[in-house]
Structure formats: C-alpha cells, structure tokens
Amino acid sequence: MALLERFPALIWRSGLDAGCTYFNHTWLEFTGRSLEQELGHGWTASIHPDDFDRCIAGYLGHFAARTPIEMEYRLRRHDGEYRWLIDTGQPIHDEAGEFTGYIGFCLDITARRNTEAELRERETRMRTLLASMGEGVIVRDANGLLQLHNAAAAAILGVSDAEMSLLDCRADLLSYLDEDGEPIARSQIPPMRALETGKPTAGMIGVDRQDGSRRWLWTNAIPLFEDESNALRGVVTTIADVTVRRNHEEQLQLAWTVFSNSVEAIIVTDAQERILSVNRAFTDVTGYTEEEAIGKTPRMLRSGHHDKGFYDLMWQEIGTLGFWQGEIHDRRKNGTMYPAALSISAVHDKGGRITHYVAVFSDITERKASEARIAFLAQHDPLTGLPNRTLLHDRLEQALAHAARHGKRIALMFLDLDRFKTINDSLGHMMGDRLLQGVAQRLTHCIRETDTVSRQGGDEFLIVLTDIETPDDAARVAEKILARLGPTFEIDNQQLGTSFSIGIALYPEDGDNVETLMKNADTAMYHAKESGRNTYRFFDEVMNINALERLHLENGLRRALEQNEFTLHYQPQVDLASGRIIGVEALLRWFSGVMGGVSPARFIPLAEECGLIVPIGEWVMQTACRQARAWQDQGFPPMPVAVNLSAMQFRRTDIVATVAQALTDSGLDGTWLELELTESLLMQSGPDVEAILGRLKALGVRLSIDDFGTGYSSLAYLKRFPVDRLKIDQSFVRDIAEDPDDAAIVRAVIQLGHSLRLEVIAEGTETPEQMDFLRNEGCSAAQGYLFSPPLPADAVTELLRIGILPAAPILAS
C-alpha cells in the first residue's frame, strides 16, 4: 500500500456505488485537495467544465457495463492549471468473482496533447497555405513521382486534380519548352535536374497545355534530404505563371526598341514636365544629348517664335482632351530654329491622375521647304520667280476689295517688251530667258513692297499698284520703269537693249473688276506700241495728255540745272515802323528755253516728287549765300537772306553739311542766313530733327517757321525747337480787314510771338489796311506786293540803295 501512495501515477479506486473510496498521495498532491474532499464524487469538482459532461457520462457508462475505462479529460491542478490526463480503469472482482468496483491509473499527457495539437495546427496551416498560394507547389519523391500538389499547380498546368496523379505517366498531358520556345524532354525540367544533381535548380520553361494555350512558368526546384543519412528523399517545386509578365517584358522590349530606333524624336516627362527619357532621334534633331536633357523641361527648346497665348491654348487642350497635335517652331542647341510636327499625350494612372507626358516630334524643315516650293511653283513663274497669272489675279481681287472698302485708287499696268521676238529668234531662247530674268529683276526695284509685278507668259508682265493718290503716281512708276530699262543688258558678252510699251488702267475710272481692268490695260498697251514704243499710255485719253505734259515738264526740269535756266528773285522784308529793308526772301524762278516761264506752283511739287528738289535746293542755297555776301561786299548793311527748305532736303541729305558748305564757299557769316521751315517738316522729319536744328543753330543761322498757323500750330515744338521767327501765312493776312476770324488768328499769332520772344513777320501784305492792322497789333515786319514783288538781284540792289520802301504798291516790271 505504501508503494501505491508514492507511485508516480495518479491512482484512484471506487466501490459498487461508483463513488471513489481511495486516492493516492500523488493524486492529492496533484489536485492540492484533501482525501475527504476527493472521496465519493468530490473529485469531479476539478474536472474542466468543457470536459465534465463527457467525462462523467463516459465514466458512468463504463461502470454500468463494467467494462475497462479509457478516457481523456482535463483536471485542475493545485496551481489552478488544467492538465490533460489519460484515465485507465479496470474492473475489480473478489475471490468469488463478484464485481466490487474499479481501480484506475491517470497519467499527465498534456505535453503529448500539445504536441499533437501543434502538429495538427501546422498541418492545417500548411494545407491552408498551399491552397491559398497563387504559386503552384508540387512535391515529388526520389524517383520523381508526384506525391503532393496544391490546387494552384493544377490550375497553372491546366489539368484536374485527378489528372495530376497521371502527370508522370501520360505524355500527352503536357509538352515542355525551353526559354527560347524549343521542345525539351521531361528529364530537362528543373525538378528532374535537381533530383539528378542534388542541387537547387531554377529557370524559365514553357508548357503547352491540353487546351492549346502556352504558358510560361518560372520554376524553382529544391531537393529534400533525410535528416540523419542525408539521403535524397524528394524534391519540392514551386511554379509561377509569368506568361503575362513575359508578354509585358516582350512588349516593353519591343517598345524600347521602337523608342530607341524611332526616326521621330520622343520625350518622356513626369507630371511636372521634367524630362525622364529621350531617344537617339531627339539628339539628332535638337543637338542635346540625353545627359543634357534629363531633369530639364522641354522649355529648353523654346524658340521665342510663339507667344504665351499659343502655349496656354496648347496646355488647355491637353488638359481637356489629353492630347495636342500641331506645328511648332523650336530652337536647336546651336541656336538655329526649325519647324516641327509635334504631338503631346498625357498618361494617366488608374485613378485618373496624370503621371507622365509623352511628346513625339519630327523636324519638318525639308517638308515645309518642299511644300513652300510646291506652293511657290503653283503661284509663280518658274523662270523669273515672279507671281504668275493665278496669283496676280488673286492679289488684284484682294486689292480691288480693299480699295472699294477704303475708297482708294488702283492702277493696273500691262507691260510688253518691245522687239523681244527679234532677240528670241536671232539669239535663241536661252538668251531670251536670260533677258527676261534681268528685266524681272529691274522691274522689282521699281515698285513698293505692297505692289505686285507678275509675268503673264512670253514677254508680257502685269503690275498692280495699290493705294495711289492720283494718275500721276502711276505715270511716275511707268517713267521709272522706262528709265530702268534704258541701260543695256550684258548677257554672255552681248549687249542687249530693250524697252517696254506700257498700258495703264485705273480703278475705279476704267473698270471695277479684274477682267475689265486687264482688258483696258491691254488696250492701252497697244496704244503705247502704236505711239512709237518705249512709252506708256493711259486707257483714258485725258490722263494720257496730263501724263505726257508731266513727262515733258519733268524732262525739261532735269535739263534746267545743266542749262542754267534757274534764277533767284528776292522779295524784300520791311520793318513796319521805319520802312527799312531788313532782309530778303530768295524765291526760285524757272525760265525754260522751250516752255518759257514756268510757275513755281507747277514745277516745285514735281521737283519734290521726282527728287530733283535736292540738287536744286543745293543750287538755291549756294546762290542765295553768294548774293548776300555780294551785297555786303558792295557796302550795303548786312541783312539776312531767307531760303526755304523742303522736307525732302531735310530727310534725304545731310542738310547741316549742305548749309555749312554754302556758307564756307560764299564767305557769308551764318548770322545772315535764315532757313525757313514748315510746321509739317518739323513734325514729320523724325526724332532726330531737334538734334539737326541744334547743329544748324551752331552754325549761327536763323530759323523761322514759314506759313505759321496752317499746320500743326503746336506750342510744344515752339518750346523744343530753337526758332527765331514766325511767318504769318498770307492766307490769314489776305482778309484780316474783312474776316474777323482771320483777324483774330493773326492777332493771336502776334501775341504768341511776343510771349515767346520771337519775331513775327507777315507774308502777302498787299494793302495799306492790312499794313495798318499789322502795325497796330504789334507786328514788327512784313513782306508783300504792297512793298515789292520778288525781283531779280539787280533790281533789289537798286532798292537797297534807296534803303526805305514806300508803303504803296509797286508793280512788277
């Protein structure tokens, strides 16, 4: 009995009533309860609640059947922990063989139960893991026969679970390929090679499945060894379907090949427009290397050709449509500009956010040049490069529409080369073509940029002159053309001379449409040929007469300087207080040997129009200065001589040098030269007029404003410019006695001159009443027929001897 007390097992005994009558010491130490607490059914208080019903039912059931008891349950230990026990009970019989109860032994199996639970949990986790894995898992034994697989493996291989067991014996289920797509034997797949070598083996294999599809698998085979003997016992293989990835990689490789070898330049940027990648064509087009472009923005290519509005509209379209396409001008690294055909696309992620921009462009310089050349040839004469009949017709229609809207006049000139057929027939068509090219070059120098000269074919040309004021404008162009064609052409050592017969039709006088104007200009051209060639004719005969008169006048004017037909008359300027002559104004006169005396009103405007006023003005300056010095040398008191300056003299010559030369050549002091300038000349001669006037004043000359009151009459320029005298225009003086408005204007000019400390002289004084008004208003000087008309220098010399002019009309001799 003492042995049972200390036996390591928990021992119990029960009687016929199923109540326990004995627990050994080991049991009591385990539960931490007394024998009295455990006896009977007290021991059941320590059974785990979850096991209680099962344990009691099993115990009572065995007791009733008097069969051996074996059950597992949890019993609370003295420290409160429940431990798993395996309880084995055997029925007890007395010597007579009668049943007297049970004796039982309990062993603590907690550790075993925990191990079994852990193993079951591991198995569950493994099966769950295998089932949930996207990768296929296949376990083979040392002979390569399949032992285990998961559902993913069957799905990847395209076979059912039942067919997986036949995988190693049916060759028609799968066909294997290497990475390049060539068939391989089953022995060459990674798991077989891992079994053969005993080393892990991985690689890409292709599988042709039963459904006809081909899948690409990344296969990784790991051999398994026995722990103790290290003998090979199998291989675990994982397979991953990388078909999509492989296809993507192939597509990416293809895309990269296309990107790298594209003949069009490509830029890839991030959402902030920073360049991430460029291709080789980008470098070829722009000159920037990949290293120079990465991290920059495409703004590095901007040429400045487009304004901000262009780029704003472009990005607005990209933001709205995700795409923009058009032409743009960019700049290369070397600074040259080029036209490009550009498309920009925005790349979005799944959330719709822009992640990248892709720009594709190509240099279209050659294409644009070809297009321009084609367009040019379609509208221009291939021999001379001048607009052809089609373009001329279009421009003439536009010019007519513009003229109709704005009330302008247009001239259409029809030009035909005289005797061109003779040159063509005698010297050949090549020589004739060279002559036509030379003629075209000279014609283009005879017109403005807004005009059009066109070759119609053969030896015919048309010219459209826009915005002409009078028929004389067209006549001057015709004369200019005839003059330009005067010198001979030297072609292949041949001296060729030619001329034009020119017909002129005017809009609106001679027609209001293209066809009518061309017909009438052609008619006028034939009239020019009938008139002896090398001339021009207007369609309107009256205009012809006026043009011929003007041409005759201009030709005479060109000869006038050479033939000494010009002379100067001088009109005295009189002090109104004393009647003394205080100066003279030099006035140009022309006495032609053919036409006789020609009015300045006729020839001076013409001289300005054709540019002859410049040499004529220099002659006037020299002559007037010499005469003023001559009077001084004759002993007369010095007095200023006034010379009028035209706007053309002021703009087209170095007027300061001209005046200085005249003073030097004559020996006249600048004090005695007065230059008369008009208000319009001062306003229209450009921003440097003030500097020019300052340099003239530095020569000592006096400056006066002629015809004051008829132009701008701005006080601003009177303050800016170093003016000495104001000349009241004769149009105001003429009616001061009858017209209150003219009287008020003259009075205001006199007061203005006094306020600005300027001398005031009145022109056109012809009556005593005018003189009295001027004197009473404080005007200091006057000139006009009341005192003397313009006279030759000898006649003025006689007046200077008298010194004082009477206030009475003096008739011209």
Side-chain angles (χ1 to χ4, degrees):
M1 198 65 181
L3 178 63
L4 292 177
E5 286 295 316
R6 294 297 177 180
F7 199 79
L10 282 67
I11 300 174
W12 58 271
R13 182 175 179 179
S14 65
L16 289 174
D17 60 356
C20 289
T21 60
Y22 171 78
F23 294 95
N24 70 351
H25 184 73
T26 304
W27 178 292
L28 297 177
E29 283 185 344
F30 181 87
T31 63
R33 290 162 58 88
S34 66
L35 179 62
E36 290 75 14
Q37 290 175 315
E38 297 291 283
L39 290 177
H41 298 291
W43 66 277
T44 61
S46 297
I47 299 174
H48 193 285
D50 293 342
D51 300 336
F52 186 86
D53 290 344
R54 175 179 57 80
C55 179
I56 297 302
Y59 177 74
L60 294 177
H62 284 293
F63 203 94
R66 298 179 181 179
T67 56
I69 298 173
E70 184 174 343
M71 56 185 180
E72 295 179 8
Y73 57 88
R74 284 167 289 183
L75 193 67
R76 186 173 61 242
R77 200 167 62 176
H78 59 84
D79 58 2
E81 180 185 359
Y82 285 98
R83 305 287 289 179
W84 279 98
L85 304 178
I86 182 168
D87 194 347
T88 304
Q90 293 294 329
I92 303 173
H93 298 85
D94 59 14
E95 294 177 356
E98 294 293 328
F99 174 74
T100 60
Y102 276 88
I103 185 169
F105 298 87
C106 296
L107 295 177
D108 189 340
I109 61 170
T110 302
R112 192 195 76 186
R113 286 292 297 249
N114 288 344
T115 300
E116 291 175 350
E118 184 176 350
L119 289 175
R120 285 194 299 273
E121 183 179 355
R122 286 183 180 179
E123 182 179 358
T124 301
R125 284 203 303 267
M126 185 188 73
R127 292 185 179 278
T128 303
L129 178 61
L130 288 176
S132 62
M133 284 179 64
E135 289 187 336
V137 179
I138 299 175
V139 180
R140 298 175 184 272
D141 63 15
N143 296 316
L145 299 178
L146 189 142
Q147 301 293 309
L148 178 68
H149 72 279
N150 65 351
I156 291 172
L157 297 177
V159 297
S160 66
D161 284 338
E163 289 174 324
M164 283 293 292
S165 62
L166 304 174
L167 196 61
D168 297 319
C169 60
R170 281 185 55 184
D172 62 333
L173 287 179
L174 297 175
S175 296
Y176 300 104
L177 308 101
D178 64 15
E179 190 170 3
D180 297 326
E182 297 296 327
I184 58 174
R186 175 175 174 273
S187 61
Q188 296 301 310
I189 65 176
M192 299 299 105
R193 291 167 55 199
L195 288 173
E196 180 183 355
T197 63
K199 296 179 180 180
T201 304
M204 181 78 71
I205 64 170
V207 173
D208 284 339
R209 306 194 309 184
Q210 291 184 95
D211 61 6
S213 64
R214 176 172 294 180
R215 312 299 291 181
W216 291 99
L217 313 179
W218 179 256
T219 307
N220 190 19
I222 307 295
L224 301 176
F225 298 91
E226 297 290 353
D227 292 338
E228 297 178 359
S229 63
N230 204 31
L232 185 65
R233 63 185 180 90
V235 62
V236 176
T237 306
T238 59
I239 56 175
D241 188 341
V242 295
T243 306
V244 174
R245 189 185 76 186
R246 179 183 169 102
N247 291 340
H248 285 171
E249 288 175 351
E250 290 178 350
Q251 292 174 2
L252 287 174
Q253 182 61 40
L254 177 61
W256 179 254
T257 301
V258 172
F259 175 82
S260 300
N261 296 282
S262 173
V263 296
E264 293 187 310
I266 302 175
I267 302 174
V268 179
T269 77
D270 60 17
Q272 287 70 46
E273 303 173 44
R274 290 187 296 269
I275 296 176
L276 302 176
S277 181
V278 297
N279 66 349
R280 185 168 56 249
F282 170 87
T283 299
D284 295 339
V285 172
T286 68
Y288 289 100
T289 65
E290 182 179 9
E291 292 75 15
E292 291 172 324
I294 299 299
K296 305 291 195 310
T297 71
R299 286 187 289 275
M300 65 189 290
L301 303 177
R302 284 191 178 180
S303 63
H305 178 81
H306 306 286
D307 59 15
K308 182 177 181 295
F310 173 86
Y311 293 104
D312 289 344
L313 189 60
M314 180 180 76
W315 284 107
Q316 180 182 349
E317 191 167 328
I318 294 172
T320 303
L321 305 177
F323 182 82
W324 181 88
Q325 185 174 16
E327 291 186 4
I328 193 170
H329 283 77
D330 280 337
R331 190 179 300 278
R332 294 185 176 88
K333 181 180 177 181
N334 63 11
T336 60
M337 289 177 58
Y338 63 95
L342 169 66
S343 64
I344 301 176
S345 300
V347 180
H348 299 80
D349 61 13
K350 293 181 179 179
R353 294 185 299 271
I354 293 177
T355 60
H356 298 83
Y357 294 103
V358 178
V360 180
F361 63 94
S362 57
D363 184 346
I364 58 172
T365 301
E366 293 184 3
R367 191 189 85 190
K368 297 292 284 187
S370 297
E371 291 175 353
R373 181 61 180 164
I374 293 171
F376 182 85
L377 291 176
Q379 296 186 321
H380 291 78
D381 171 44
L383 177 64
T384 62
L386 296 176
N388 60 15
R389 183 185 299 270
T390 302
L391 182 55
L392 185 282
H393 193 281
D394 180 65
R395 290 189 179 178
L396 182 53
E397 283 190 335
Q398 293 183 32
L400 287 172
H402 180 271
R405 285 195 304 269
H406 300 282
K408 298 292 185 179
R409 179 182 273 122
I410 291 175
L412 178 64
M413 306 177 71
F414 201 115
L415 303 88
D416 184 86
L417 276 178
D418 298 327
R419 293 175 295 277
F420 178 72
K421 186 175 185 301
T422 303
I423 295 174
N424 230 9
D425 293 343
S426 60
L427 299 179
H429 291 284
M430 185 174 294
M431 189 72 75
D433 288 347
R434 298 276 298 280
L435 177 60
L436 288 173
Q437 290 172 337
V439 168
Q441 288 182 356
R442 292 191 187 182
L443 278 179
T444 56
H445 290 91
C446 295
I447 62 171
R448 303 163 298 177
E449 290 185 359
T450 55
D451 302 327
T452 300
V453 57
S454 163
R455 181 180 177 226
Q456 297 298 287
D459 58 352
E460 294 180 345
F461 296 83
L462 281 176
I463 296 178
V464 178
L465 303 177
T466 59
D467 293 341
I468 64 172
E469 298 295 333
T470 66
D472 284 350
D473 295 335
R476 281 194 296 275
V477 175
E479 292 161 8
K480 188 176 183 180
I481 292 171
L482 296 176
R484 279 293 180 99
L485 254 64
T488 58
F489 293 86
E490 183 174 346
I491 302 175
D492 294 340
N493 298 320
Q494 292 274 358
Q495 299 292 323
L496 301 180
T498 186
S499 61
F500 269 127
S501 293
I502 304 174
I504 305 173
L506 299 175
Y507 167 87
E509 292 90 340
D510 302 329
D512 59 1
N513 58 72
V514 173
E515 289 73 19
T516 302
L517 285 174
M518 293 184 71
K519 178 175 67 69
N520 291 341
D522 188 31
T523 300
M525 183 272 294
Y526 279 104
H527 289 166
K529 281 190 176 293
E530 293 170 357
S531 300
R533 304 176 186 269
N534 194 28
T535 187
Y536 63 91
R537 287 292 182 269
F538 283 93
F539 180 72
D540 187 331
E541 191 58 33
V542 174
M543 293 183 186
N544 281 326
I545 295 172
N546 293 338
L548 288 174
E549 288 181 353
R550 182 185 180 283
L551 178 60
H552 184 60
L553 185 64
E554 183 175 333
N555 289 336
L557 194 59
R558 293 182 184 279
R559 295 190 297 268
L561 271 177
E562 301 172 3
Q563 298 178 359
N564 296 319
E565 293 179 348
F566 289 121
T567 185
L568 287 185
H569 283 195
Y570 300 89
Q571 186 171 38
Q573 297 173 339
V574 178
D575 180 79
L576 290 179
S578 63
R580 289 186 304 103
I581 299 175
I582 58 173
V584 292
E585 179 180 1
L587 299 169
L588 182 63
R589 296 294 183 263
W590 178 23
F591 298 93
S592 169
V594 178
M595 294 176 283
V598 182
S599 168
R602 289 184 62 198
F603 75 81
I604 288 181
L606 179 60
E608 291 196 350
E609 290 173 5
C610 63
L612 289 174
I613 195 66
V614 174
I616 292 174
E618 292 179 359
W619 179 86
V620 170
M621 187 76 65
Q622 289 277 353
T623 304
C625 289
R626 284 197 301 270
Q627 183 59 59
R629 180 57 193 244
W631 280 325
Q632 292 181 17
D633 292 342
Q634 293 175 33
F636 295 110
M639 64 177 180
V641 58
V643 176
N644 290 280
L645 288 183
S646 75
M648 185 171 292
Q649 282 179 278
F650 209 76
R651 289 193 298 265
R652 291 181 53 181
T653 64
D654 186 349
I655 189 63
V656 178
T658 300
V659 172
Q661 189 64 46
L663 293 175
T664 300
D665 292 347
S666 64
L668 182 68
D669 188 277
T671 306
W672 309 114
L673 175 63
E674 181 175 312
L675 301 179
E676 295 190 2
L677 308 98
T678 63
E679 292 177 291
S680 59
L681 183 154
L682 295 176
M683 292 296 100
Q684 299 174 6
S685 295
D688 55 347
V689 61
E690 190 171 354
I692 294 174
L693 294 180
R695 291 165 60 197
L696 288 173
K697 287 296 292 183
L699 297 176
V701 302
R702 292 161 52 85
L703 301 176
S704 67
I705 299 178
D706 194 15
D707 303 335
F708 185 78
T710 61
Y712 294 88
S713 301
S714 170
L715 298 181
Y717 76 78
L718 289 179
K719 180 180 179 182
R720 285 172 47 212
F721 300 147
V723 177
D724 299 292
R725 174 188 277 188
L726 303 180
K727 295 192 74 174
I728 303 174
D729 187 68
Q730 59 182 343
S731 63
F732 299 121
V733 175
R734 184 181 303 116
D735 298 322
I736 54 177
E738 295 83 16
D739 191 332
D741 292 336
D742 284 347
I745 291 173
V746 171
R747 185 180 297 112
V749 172
I750 294 172
Q751 293 174 358
L752 176 64
H754 291 167
S755 300
L756 297 176
R757 295 185 295 277
L758 300 176
E759 298 178 22
V760 180
I761 182 172
E763 293 182 307
T765 307
E766 298 179 350
T767 67
E769 290 78 13
Q770 295 168 351
M771 182 185 67
D772 291 339
F773 179 90
L774 294 169
R775 183 188 293 118
N776 292 336
E777 294 297 332
C779 185
S780 57
Q783 67 182 82
Y785 276 70
L786 176 64
F787 309 105
S788 172
L791 298 171
D794 293 343
V796 173
T797 302
E798 294 304 318
L799 291 180
L800 292 177
R801 297 186 191 282
I802 300 173
I804 299 177
L805 293 178
I810 300 177
L811 299 178
S813 59

